Amino acid sequence: MTTPSGLNFYIPGALLFLVACAKLPALLRNPRDELLRSVWVLLVVSTAVFWCCAVPSIAAFNRLTGVPNAAAPLVYTLLTVFSGSNISLIIRWSSGPEDTQRADRWSKRCYMATGVVIIAINVLFLLGDASVERLRDLDTYYASTPFIREMILLYLAAHTTAAVTMTVLCCRWAREVHGELRVGLLLIVGGYLLNLAYDALKFTAIGAHWAGRNWDVLSVTYAASLASFSALLIGAGFIFPLLSQRFMHFWTPWRRYYQLRPLWRELREASEHSMGIGSSARTPIEIRLVQVEADIHDGILTVSPHIDARIRAQALQAAAKSCRSDDEAAATADAAALAHAVSVWRQHQTVAADPEERVNDHNETLSSAHTPTGLVRMSIALSSDVVQRFRRHAAVVESSTR
């Protein structure tokens, strides 16, 4: 519900304004990026919509201009620009590099249609007579006033058309994508479904006024509440994929770094010659990750003469019974063979009865050690029961040979 203080509009507007400020440096660095520019314009327009639709702002604008209800065409204009910006952004967002010209063409048509509606809204207001200030119920109060009535209906028709268009475009695209982009599109769809409910409530209240009934509460209370929440959902839908990409860009290397730590600790003694350049707290995560991977490969190379192909084959047979995929089973077998080799390396002795059975080149045995993903799987598998069993087996063999 719209509050007299307007906080339910000012607070979301302030949040969107902060996001717009955060995006401005990127826009200044890439001024020709159409997608980035469209997102930034959308954020600015969203901020203006929230701030200008609050009751205190409407009253202040009316006083400033000295024209009763002068804020009405301003609010309708901003909402129309918001809808047009959304459609344009979705067109550009969903178009690949090969569709740039088509996206530009449809975006221009969208801007032209938006401009025509905005001009018509303002002209109709100038032709009409809205001399009594109405801060919250202008739609129903002037529902029968010539020209003002047409202005209201034109705005609602354009708003409904934009909502239907966006819902169709986003639903169609959401079926083709996954991940954070799909979540963002579903948020946008949710926002525009609320917009359609908003339009339905407005039309119902106006129709009730024409029928001589007073259903203004549908427009003043319920529709206003839907408007603020829907705009916030739509803005979140556009922002979420961008913020998610930035977060994943930050989170992914850290996650991989910590996933590799068990494997690094397993091989730490075997890679004591490491320079340790990634040990400083100020060292960027990219350098830390490179250093950890280098230490792991050095450790594997050190213990590789003790990697037993037969141990790996036995571990693979055991892992196949409990692992969910062939890749997981292979990583578990590699981790078991490696843990076994580390235990043997610590005692500087071999396990294989026939030295020719022992593999000096680990690349021939450890299939998971060739890729970053494989190293992560091996690191995770070190805590499995299969690996623990073969590590204990190595300890038993070492103690019996002393």
Side-chain angles (χ1 to χ4, degrees):
M1 184 170 61
T2 304
T3 60
S5 64
L7 289 179
N8 59 329
F9 282 95
Y10 289 137
I11 293 176
L15 294 176
L16 291 173
F17 177 73
L18 292 176
V19 176
C21 291
K23 287 291 180 184
L24 184 58
L27 179 62
L28 294 177
R29 290 193 300 268
N30 304 281
R32 296 185 179 180
D33 190 326
E34 292 286 347
L35 180 58
L36 184 58
R37 186 164 62 223
S38 298
V39 171
W40 191 80
V41 169
L42 176 65
L43 290 171
V44 172
V45 172
S46 301
T47 301
V49 167
F50 274 107
W51 286 351
C52 292
C53 287
V55 171
S57 298
I58 293 173
F61 189 78
N62 290 341
R63 289 196 304 270
L64 181 65
T65 60
V67 178
N69 302 307
L74 172 65
V75 170
Y76 292 160
T77 294
L78 288 174
L79 289 171
T80 304
V81 171
F82 178 71
S83 298
S85 299
N86 288 341
I87 296 175
S88 176
L89 181 54
I90 281 294
I91 291 173
R92 293 189 181 280
W93 205 4
S94 59
S95 300
E98 68 282 358
D99 296 328
T100 302
Q101 292 184 349
R102 185 180 64 86
D104 290 340
R105 185 167 60 253
W106 280 103
S107 293
K108 289 178 181 178
R109 292 175 182 176
C110 178
Y111 290 140
M112 290 177 61
T114 301
V116 170
V117 173
I118 290 172
I119 292 172
I121 286 173
N122 287 272
V123 169
L124 289 170
F125 179 78
L126 293 175
L127 294 175
D129 180 15
S131 56
V132 179
E133 184 181 52
R134 309 301 298 185
L135 298 179
R136 302 178 64 188
D137 62 346
L138 182 139
D139 294 339
T140 52
Y141 186 86
Y142 288 106
S144 299
T145 303
F147 298 111
I148 303 299
R149 172 187 59 212
E150 282 74 18
M151 177 191 73
I152 296 168
L153 293 176
L154 174 62
Y155 150 68
L156 288 175
H159 195 257
T160 303
T161 302
V164 172
T165 302
M166 283 294 294
T167 302
V168 171
L169 290 176
C170 292
C171 285
R172 183 183 301 167
W173 193 20
R175 289 194 292 265
E176 302 174 0
V177 296
H178 303 279
E180 64 274 2
L181 179 55
R182 187 174 189 180
V183 173
L185 290 171
L186 293 178
L187 286 174
I188 295 172
V189 170
Y192 271 102
L193 289 176
L194 291 180
N195 267 356
L196 289 173
Y198 164 90
D199 294 329
L201 290 173
K202 287 283 187 179
F203 278 123
T204 302
I206 291 172
H209 178 84
W210 290 341
R213 298 174 180 270
N214 184 355
W215 289 2
D216 289 7
V217 66
L218 296 179
S219 175
V220 173
T221 302
Y222 299 115
S225 299
L226 289 177
S228 60
F229 188 53
S230 66
L232 197 58
L233 268 182
I234 293 168
F238 280 110
I239 296 169
F240 177 80
L242 301 176
L243 294 182
S244 179
Q245 289 176 3
R246 176 167 294 186
F247 174 77
M248 292 305 296
H249 179 74
F250 169 82
W251 169 250
T252 300
W254 277 105
R255 180 172 178 266
R256 190 152 170 268
Y257 174 77
Y258 283 107
Q259 286 177 326
L260 288 174
R261 295 287 291 182
L263 185 56
W264 177 82
R265 285 192 293 267
E266 183 77 21
L267 295 164
R268 181 168 49 187
E269 295 179 25
S271 57
E272 289 180 341
H273 58 281
S274 170
M275 296 174 59
I277 60 175
S279 59
S280 172
R282 296 184 178 180
T283 304
I285 183 57
E286 291 79 10
I287 295 179
R288 294 190 190 194
L289 189 56
V290 169
Q291 185 63 50
V292 165
E293 290 179 346
D295 287 350
I296 289 172
H297 285 295
D298 287 342
I300 292 175
L301 188 62
T302 299
V303 303
S304 62
H306 305 284
I307 296 176
D308 195 323
R310 293 178 303 178
I311 294 294
R312 200 263 183 189
Q314 294 171 11
L316 181 61
Q317 186 176 8
K321 300 177 182 178
S322 59
C323 293
R324 293 171 294 183
S325 66
D326 293 341
D327 289 338
E328 184 180 345
T332 302
D334 290 342
L338 186 63
H340 188 277
V342 170
S343 297
V344 176
W345 172 83
R346 289 195 183 104
Q347 298 298 322
H348 303 287
Q349 56 186 330
T350 61
V351 177
D354 184 358
E356 294 182 359
E357 294 285 344
R358 201 184 321 129
V359 179
N360 290 320
D361 184 4
H362 67 274
N363 291 321
E364 298 179 6
T365 305
L366 304 182
S367 61
S368 302
H370 309 319
T371 64
T373 304
L375 288 178
V376 170
R377 290 198 187 101
M378 286 178 63
S379 185
I380 295 173
L382 284 172
S383 60
S384 68
D385 294 338
V386 173
V387 175
Q388 297 298 329
R389 187 161 65 250
F390 277 87
R391 184 183 282 115
R392 289 193 298 268
H393 173 265
V396 169
V397 172
E398 290 169 15
S399 61
S400 64
T401 56
R402 290 175 183 174

Short mmCIF file of all heavy atoms in Angstrom, two decimals, residues 226-253:
data_model
loop_
_atom_site.label_atom_id
_atom_site.label_comp_id
_atom_site.label_asym_id
_atom_site.label_seq_id
_atom_site.Cartn_x
_atom_site.Cartn_y
_atom_site.Cartn_z
N LEU A 226 0.93 -3.42 -5.79
CA LEU A 226 1.48 -4.28 -6.84
C LEU A 226 2.50 -3.54 -7.69
O LEU A 226 3.50 -4.12 -8.12
CB LEU A 226 0.35 -4.80 -7.73
CG LEU A 226 -0.59 -5.85 -7.12
CD1 LEU A 226 -1.68 -6.19 -8.12
CD2 LEU A 226 0.17 -7.09 -6.72
N ALA A 227 2.26 -2.24 -7.93
CA ALA A 227 3.15 -1.46 -8.79
C ALA A 227 4.56 -1.40 -8.23
O ALA A 227 5.55 -1.63 -8.94
CB ALA A 227 2.59 -0.06 -8.99
N SER A 228 4.68 -1.08 -6.93
CA SER A 228 6.01 -0.94 -6.34
C SER A 228 6.73 -2.29 -6.31
O SER A 228 7.93 -2.38 -6.62
CB SER A 228 5.91 -0.35 -4.93
OG SER A 228 5.12 -1.18 -4.10
N PHE A 229 6.02 -3.35 -5.96
CA PHE A 229 6.64 -4.67 -5.86
C PHE A 229 7.03 -5.21 -7.24
O PHE A 229 8.10 -5.81 -7.41
CB PHE A 229 5.71 -5.64 -5.15
CG PHE A 229 6.35 -6.96 -4.83
CD1 PHE A 229 7.55 -7.02 -4.13
CD2 PHE A 229 5.76 -8.14 -5.23
CE1 PHE A 229 8.14 -8.23 -3.84
CE2 PHE A 229 6.34 -9.36 -4.94
CZ PHE A 229 7.53 -9.41 -4.24
N SER A 230 6.17 -4.98 -8.23
CA SER A 230 6.47 -5.48 -9.58
C SER A 230 7.68 -4.79 -10.17
O SER A 230 8.53 -5.44 -10.80
CB SER A 230 5.25 -5.30 -10.49
OG SER A 230 4.99 -3.93 -10.70
N ALA A 231 7.78 -3.47 -9.97
CA ALA A 231 8.95 -2.75 -10.49
C ALA A 231 10.23 -3.24 -9.84
O ALA A 231 11.28 -3.35 -10.50
CB ALA A 231 8.78 -1.25 -10.25
N LEU A 232 10.16 -3.56 -8.56
CA LEU A 232 11.34 -4.07 -7.87
C LEU A 232 11.73 -5.45 -8.40
O LEU A 232 12.91 -5.75 -8.59
CB LEU A 232 11.05 -4.15 -6.37
CG LEU A 232 12.26 -4.27 -5.44
CD1 LEU A 232 13.22 -3.11 -5.64
CD2 LEU A 232 11.80 -4.34 -3.99
N LEU A 233 10.72 -6.30 -8.66
CA LEU A 233 11.01 -7.63 -9.22
C LEU A 233 11.63 -7.52 -10.61
O LEU A 233 12.59 -8.23 -10.94
CB LEU A 233 9.71 -8.43 -9.32
CG LEU A 233 9.32 -9.33 -8.14
CD1 LEU A 233 8.03 -10.07 -8.48
CD2 LEU A 233 10.42 -10.30 -7.80
N ILE A 234 11.10 -6.63 -11.43
CA ILE A 234 11.62 -6.47 -12.78
C ILE A 234 13.06 -5.97 -12.74
O ILE A 234 13.94 -6.48 -13.44
CB ILE A 234 10.73 -5.50 -13.58
CG1 ILE A 234 9.35 -6.13 -13.81
CG2 ILE A 234 11.38 -5.16 -14.92
CD1 ILE A 234 8.31 -5.16 -14.32
N GLY A 235 13.31 -4.95 -11.91
CA GLY A 235 14.68 -4.46 -11.78
C GLY A 235 15.62 -5.53 -11.28
O GLY A 235 16.75 -5.68 -11.79
N ALA A 236 15.17 -6.33 -10.31
CA ALA A 236 16.00 -7.43 -9.80
C ALA A 236 16.27 -8.46 -10.88
O ALA A 236 17.36 -9.03 -10.95
CB ALA A 236 15.32 -8.08 -8.60
N GLY A 237 15.27 -8.71 -11.73
CA GLY A 237 15.46 -9.68 -12.80
C GLY A 237 16.53 -9.28 -13.79
O GLY A 237 17.30 -10.12 -14.28
N PHE A 238 16.62 -7.98 -14.08
CA PHE A 238 17.67 -7.52 -15.00
C PHE A 238 19.03 -7.47 -14.32
O PHE A 238 20.06 -7.71 -14.96
CB PHE A 238 17.31 -6.11 -15.52
CG PHE A 238 16.31 -6.13 -16.64
CD1 PHE A 238 15.02 -5.66 -16.43
CD2 PHE A 238 16.64 -6.61 -17.89
CE1 PHE A 238 14.08 -5.67 -17.45
CE2 PHE A 238 15.71 -6.62 -18.92
CZ PHE A 238 14.43 -6.15 -18.70
N ILE A 239 19.05 -7.16 -13.04
CA ILE A 239 20.32 -6.98 -12.33
C ILE A 239 20.92 -8.32 -11.90
O ILE A 239 22.13 -8.49 -11.92
CB ILE A 239 20.11 -6.07 -11.11
CG1 ILE A 239 19.69 -4.67 -11.56
CG2 ILE A 239 21.38 -5.99 -10.26
CD1 ILE A 239 19.21 -3.79 -10.42
N PHE A 240 20.06 -9.27 -11.53
CA PHE A 240 20.55 -10.53 -10.94
C PHE A 240 21.58 -11.26 -11.81
O PHE A 240 22.63 -11.67 -11.29
CB PHE A 240 19.36 -11.46 -10.63
CG PHE A 240 19.77 -12.79 -10.09
CD1 PHE A 240 20.11 -12.92 -8.76
CD2 PHE A 240 19.82 -13.91 -10.91
CE1 PHE A 240 20.50 -14.15 -8.25
CE2 PHE A 240 20.21 -15.14 -10.41
CZ PHE A 240 20.54 -15.25 -9.08
N PRO A 241 21.34 -11.47 -13.12
CA PRO A 241 22.36 -12.18 -13.91
C PRO A 241 23.70 -11.46 -13.95
O PRO A 241 24.75 -12.11 -13.91
CB PRO A 241 21.73 -12.25 -15.31
CG PRO A 241 20.27 -12.14 -15.07
CD PRO A 241 20.13 -11.19 -13.92
N LEU A 242 23.66 -10.12 -13.98
CA LEU A 242 24.91 -9.36 -14.03
C LEU A 242 25.66 -9.47 -12.71
O LEU A 242 26.87 -9.70 -12.68
CB LEU A 242 24.61 -7.89 -14.35
CG LEU A 242 23.88 -7.65 -15.67
CD1 LEU A 242 23.56 -6.16 -15.83
CD2 LEU A 242 24.73 -8.12 -16.85
N LEU A 243 24.95 -9.32 -11.59
CA LEU A 243 25.59 -9.45 -10.29
C LEU A 243 26.05 -10.88 -10.05
O LEU A 243 27.10 -11.12 -9.44
CB LEU A 243 24.62 -9.02 -9.18
CG LEU A 243 24.22 -7.54 -9.16
CD1 LEU A 243 23.30 -7.26 -7.99
CD2 LEU A 243 25.46 -6.64 -9.09
N SER A 244 25.26 -11.84 -10.53
CA SER A 244 25.62 -13.24 -10.35
C SER A 244 26.91 -13.57 -11.10
O SER A 244 27.77 -14.30 -10.58
CB SER A 244 24.48 -14.14 -10.84
OG SER A 244 24.83 -15.49 -10.69
N GLN A 245 27.06 -13.05 -12.31
CA GLN A 245 28.28 -13.28 -13.07
C GLN A 245 29.49 -12.71 -12.34
O GLN A 245 30.55 -13.35 -12.27
CB GLN A 245 28.16 -12.66 -14.45
CG GLN A 245 27.19 -13.39 -15.37
CD GLN A 245 27.02 -12.69 -16.69
OE1 GLN A 245 27.66 -11.67 -16.97
NE2 GLN A 245 26.13 -13.20 -17.53
N ARG A 246 29.33 -11.50 -11.79
CA ARG A 246 30.44 -10.89 -11.06
C ARG A 246 30.77 -11.70 -9.81
O ARG A 246 31.94 -11.92 -9.48
CB ARG A 246 30.08 -9.45 -10.68
CG ARG A 246 31.14 -8.77 -9.83
CD ARG A 246 30.92 -7.28 -9.74
NE ARG A 246 31.10 -6.65 -11.03
CZ ARG A 246 31.08 -5.32 -11.20
NH1 ARG A 246 30.87 -4.52 -10.17
NH2 ARG A 246 31.24 -4.80 -12.40
N PHE A 247 29.73 -12.16 -9.11
CA PHE A 247 29.95 -12.95 -7.90
C PHE A 247 30.66 -14.26 -8.24
O PHE A 247 31.60 -14.67 -7.54
CB PHE A 247 28.61 -13.23 -7.21
CG PHE A 247 28.72 -14.16 -6.04
CD1 PHE A 247 29.20 -13.71 -4.83
CD2 PHE A 247 28.35 -15.50 -6.17
CE1 PHE A 247 29.32 -14.59 -3.75
CE2 PHE A 247 28.46 -16.36 -5.10
CZ PHE A 247 28.95 -15.90 -3.89
N MET A 248 30.21 -14.93 -9.31
CA MET A 248 30.83 -16.19 -9.68
C MET A 248 32.27 -15.98 -10.13
O MET A 248 33.13 -16.84 -9.90
CB MET A 248 30.02 -16.87 -10.79
CG MET A 248 28.65 -17.36 -10.34
SD MET A 248 28.73 -18.47 -8.90
CE MET A 248 29.65 -19.84 -9.59
N HIS A 249 32.53 -14.85 -10.79
CA HIS A 249 33.91 -14.54 -11.19
C HIS A 249 34.80 -14.42 -9.97
O HIS A 249 35.99 -14.78 -9.99
CB HIS A 249 33.93 -13.24 -12.00
CG HIS A 249 35.30 -12.84 -12.45
ND1 HIS A 249 35.98 -13.49 -13.46
CD2 HIS A 249 36.14 -11.86 -12.00
CE1 HIS A 249 37.17 -12.93 -13.62
NE2 HIS A 249 37.30 -11.96 -12.75
N PHE A 250 34.24 -13.91 -8.87
CA PHE A 250 34.99 -13.79 -7.62
C PHE A 250 35.02 -15.11 -6.86
O PHE A 250 36.05 -15.50 -6.31
CB PHE A 250 34.34 -12.69 -6.76
CG PHE A 250 34.87 -12.65 -5.34
CD1 PHE A 250 36.05 -12.01 -5.06
CD2 PHE A 250 34.16 -13.26 -4.30
CE1 PHE A 250 36.55 -11.97 -3.76
CE2 PHE A 250 34.65 -13.23 -3.02
CZ PHE A 250 35.84 -12.58 -2.74
N TRP A 251 33.89 -15.82 -6.83
CA TRP A 251 33.74 -16.99 -5.98
C TRP A 251 34.41 -18.23 -6.56
O TRP A 251 34.99 -19.04 -5.82
CB TRP A 251 32.25 -17.26 -5.74
CG TRP A 251 31.94 -18.57 -5.11
CD1 TRP A 251 31.33 -19.65 -5.69
CD2 TRP A 251 32.24 -18.98 -3.77
NE1 TRP A 251 31.22 -20.69 -4.80
CE2 TRP A 251 31.77 -20.31 -3.61
CE3 TRP A 251 32.85 -18.35 -2.69
CZ2 TRP A 251 31.90 -20.99 -2.42
CZ3 TRP A 251 32.99 -19.05 -1.50
CH2 TRP A 251 32.50 -20.35 -1.38
N THR A 252 34.35 -18.44 -7.87
CA THR A 252 34.83 -19.67 -8.48
C THR A 252 36.29 -19.98 -8.16
O THR A 252 36.61 -21.10 -7.75
CB THR A 252 34.59 -19.64 -10.00
OG1 THR A 252 33.20 -19.52 -10.26
CG2 THR A 252 35.12 -20.91 -10.65
N PRO A 253 37.24 -19.03 -8.34
CA PRO A 253 38.63 -19.37 -8.01
C PRO A 253 38.84 -19.66 -6.52
O PRO A 253 39.63 -20.54 -6.17
CB PRO A 253 39.42 -18.14 -8.46
CG PRO A 253 38.43 -17.04 -8.57
CD PRO A 253 37.14 -17.68 -8.94
#
